[in-house]
Amino acid sequence: MPEPILTLSALYIYPIKSAGGVSLPSSDIGPRGLTHDRRWMVIDAAGRPVTQRECPTMRLIGVALADDGLRVSAPGRPVLTVPWQPQGARRAVDMWGTPLSGVRVSSQATGWISAYLGGDFDLVHLPDDVQRWQPADRPYGSLLSFVDGNPFHMITEASLAAFNGHLSRPVGHTELRPNLVISGGEAYAEDFWRRIRIGPADANGVAFEVVESCARCVILNVQPDGTRGAETLRTLARIRRHGKAAIFGQHLVQDAPYDQRTGRLRVGDALSVTEVGDSVNPVYE
């Protein structure tokens, strides 16, 4: 049988962690992943990350890219302008037990996000001089932004269609928060991919190692209107249980030395699978 035709069909970044995504026709890659992906984050008074786990109405925060920075919107709030390189004071960030330093965006941003979420919150940017590395006990490592644990997340259209066949309310791409969406092939084939290449089979293509299956959390139950349901994660746990985790999608790192992790991805690029395993990719919990 001929090899399936696999294509990068959609490309997303999420500049503010746990806020709305931005669909792009193309994106550059830097040392931390796609440019601008999760370089901003909402924190609470103790400097801890705030996500849709705690505040599901973050789903309604819209983000758009402009020449001078981000345009951030939410119901009942004026549009907030966030510069690409904020010049505010440094703030301590507790990234789930790892101490980091973030740059406070502005007093306007602090008031905006606090008023919208109804509490004492702040918006910070991760500057270039702050290094956050993947835990040393993993069999791989990457320089990270404010992502949970890996620089790239991939799903496939075939797997999403198969999953939606079990749901009374189908879910869309952005409810699963991928960076890369792939068309073609069979449902859940990506569970076994070990290495892939997107783009030409030369120096202009981007090689990735597929390092981990994505264990889903309660964010999967946050619906487009910012309310919580229960069916989505419950169904996934029933049909896609792997050990203690309910899995959907795969995490990737660029398959290159740290100082060579660059490139560009474009919607429509071909994907080739260069290594396949005989078991489902693990979940590191």
Side-chain angles (χ1 to χ4, degrees), residues 70-178:
L70 308 179
R71 298 290 185 268
V72 186
S73 59
R77 302 299 303 159
V79 174
L80 174 70
T81 297
V82 174
W84 292 124
Q85 296 293 333
Q87 301 299 313
R90 293 282 175 130
R91 275 212 56 177
V93 174
D94 178 1
M95 196 72 184
W96 296 306
T98 299
L100 298 176
S101 175
V103 173
R104 189 167 180 256
V105 169
S106 64
S107 58
Q108 292 82 5
T110 301
W112 192 98
I113 196 66
S114 295
Y116 177 64
L117 295 179
D120 186 3
F121 300 103
D122 210 347
L123 183 64
V124 295
H125 177 259
L126 185 68
D128 290 337
D129 63 1
V130 172
Q131 294 194 348
R132 177 188 171 221
W133 291 90
Q134 223 161 25
D137 60 351
R138 300 287 183 90
Y140 48 86
S142 290
L143 184 63
L144 301 179
S145 62
F146 285 133
V147 295
D148 280 356
N150 293 279
F152 300 93
H153 173 45
M154 174 188 70
I155 68 170
T156 70
E157 301 270 13
S159 297
L160 183 58
F163 179 40
N164 277 332
H166 295 273
L167 298 174
S168 62
R169 184 191 70 82
V171 298
H173 292 169
T174 55
E175 293 181 66
L176 292 152
R177 304 187 69 77

Side-chain angles (χ1 to χ4, degrees), residues 52 55-60 116 221-229:
Q52 293 179 34
C55 297
T57 55
M58 287 186 71
R59 175 63 58 91
L60 303 181
Y116 177 64
N221 283 336
V222 179
Q223 302 187 79
D225 63 358
T227 62
R228 281 198 181 99

Side-chain angles (χ1 to χ4, degrees), residues 12-45:
Y12 295 97
I13 60 171
Y14 307 85
I16 300 175
K17 183 179 179 67
S18 230
V22 179
S23 176
L24 298 173
S26 62
S27 177
D28 288 326
I29 296 174
R32 299 178 197 261
L34 296 177
T35 301
H36 306 311
D37 188 43
R38 295 172 176 93
R39 290 301 294 266
W40 292 262
M41 182 170 69
V42 179
I43 58 174
D44 64 14

